[in-house]
Amino acid sequence: MTGFGVGDVRDVPERWPTEGAEEVFSGHVFRVRRDRVRMPKGDGTEVVGRDVIEHPGSVGILALDDRDRVLLLRQYRHPVGHYLWEAPAGLRDVDGEPLHTLAARELLEEAGYRAGRWDVLLDLFPSSGMSDERTRIFLARDLVRVPDDEIDFERVHEEADMPVVWVPLAEAVRKALAGELHNMIAVSGVLAAHAARADGFTGLRPVEAPEG
């Protein structure tokens, strides 16, 4: 395919027609449906089945302190059978809640910090071939530690014991490229923060910026 240039490299909304859909699974966090999608084929079209995971969406927080360190916490992830070092994150599980408000709540509950400066770092579709999940990653700065007795949140199950470590940003980049970190939000956020830091973070969007 030809006719595209660098200026055309921008994701745009598009929706191919569907001939119908059925629910395959409904769980606590997500649902699965099977769409019958009409797709191009040669000079015509054909109807093809595609399974879609319906996900409420999520936010992530790349917290960067005044010593140029990022906050990572360790959490057990059963599907992949690993302890992963991750950035704080959470589901969009409150209807109408602004995303930066959700991010601030997750940073406080999971890590015990408040941030005085918030910017949008990245917007992602983490697994666009199978899920409609959207993830917005924020950069949080001007951090203040909140005493544990001022945080009204009980950590249970996977969140019951999450060690927190501050890692120099350059070292976090090295760990990501060396395959020592695997969490999507942590790796994407670390690499994006490292790139954004080159121009003093002046290219970042405000927290109210719409998702594309």
Side-chain angles (χ1 to χ4, degrees):
M1 182 178 294
T2 60
F4 289 96
V6 173
D8 300 304
V9 180
R10 181 186 180 91
D11 296 337
V12 296
E14 172 70 12
R15 179 70 66 183
W16 289 356
T18 58
E19 303 291 319
E22 62 173 316
E23 183 175 278
V24 182
F25 170 81
S26 181
H28 175 65
V29 174
F30 61 85
R31 298 170 62 243
V32 180
R33 73 173 193 269
R34 181 164 296 136
D35 289 348
R36 299 177 65 244
V37 186
R38 183 163 293 280
M39 297 186 176
K41 182 181 181 182
D43 295 332
T45 62
E46 66 175 335
V47 176
V48 179
R50 289 290 181 267
D51 291 340
V52 179
I53 300 171
E54 298 179 358
H55 192 283
S58 55
V59 299
I61 305 98
L62 201 288
L64 185 68
D65 72 2
D66 57 5
R67 296 170 57 186
D68 214 26
R69 302 178 303 173
V70 298
L71 184 151
L72 297 177
L73 47 86
R74 196 183 74 164
Q75 189 165 355
Y76 172 68
R77 293 301 186 182
H78 183 72
V80 295
H82 274 68
Y83 276 116
L84 297 180
W85 286 100
E86 305 185 354
L91 295 174
R92 305 183 187 187
D93 52 5
V94 178
D95 289 342
E97 182 177 31
L99 296 184
H100 65 280
T101 302
L102 167 59
R105 175 161 54 84
E106 292 294 342
L107 179 63
L108 177 62
E109 291 177 351
E110 291 196 349
Y113 282 85
R114 288 194 177 98
R117 173 68 187 268
W118 291 89
D119 297 281
V120 174
L121 192 55
L122 290 172
D123 288 322
L124 301 170
F125 294 121
S127 188
S128 57
M130 65 181 68
S131 173
D132 63 359
E133 180 182 1
R134 306 172 73 104
T135 298
R136 169 160 281 191
I137 304 177
F138 292 93
L139 178 67
R141 291 177 285 171
D142 298 343
L143 302 169
V144 177
R145 182 74 171 93
V146 178
D148 291 341
D149 60 5
E150 295 182 18
I151 301 174
D152 184 20
F153 179 73
E154 181 183 3
R155 300 186 181 98
V156 296
H157 304 144
E158 291 92 343
E159 296 180 344
D161 180 23
M162 295 192 298
V164 172
V165 173
W166 288 96
V167 182
L169 179 58
E171 176 64 7
V173 170
R174 187 201 66 77
K175 288 180 176 294
L177 298 179
E180 297 176 15
L181 300 176
H182 298 83
N183 174 255
M184 180 274 300
I185 291 176
V187 171
S188 299
V190 161
L191 297 180
H194 178 70
R197 185 176 176 275
D199 67 355
F201 304 106
T202 59
L204 298 183
R205 291 165 290 160
V207 293
E208 298 86 2
E211 292 182 286

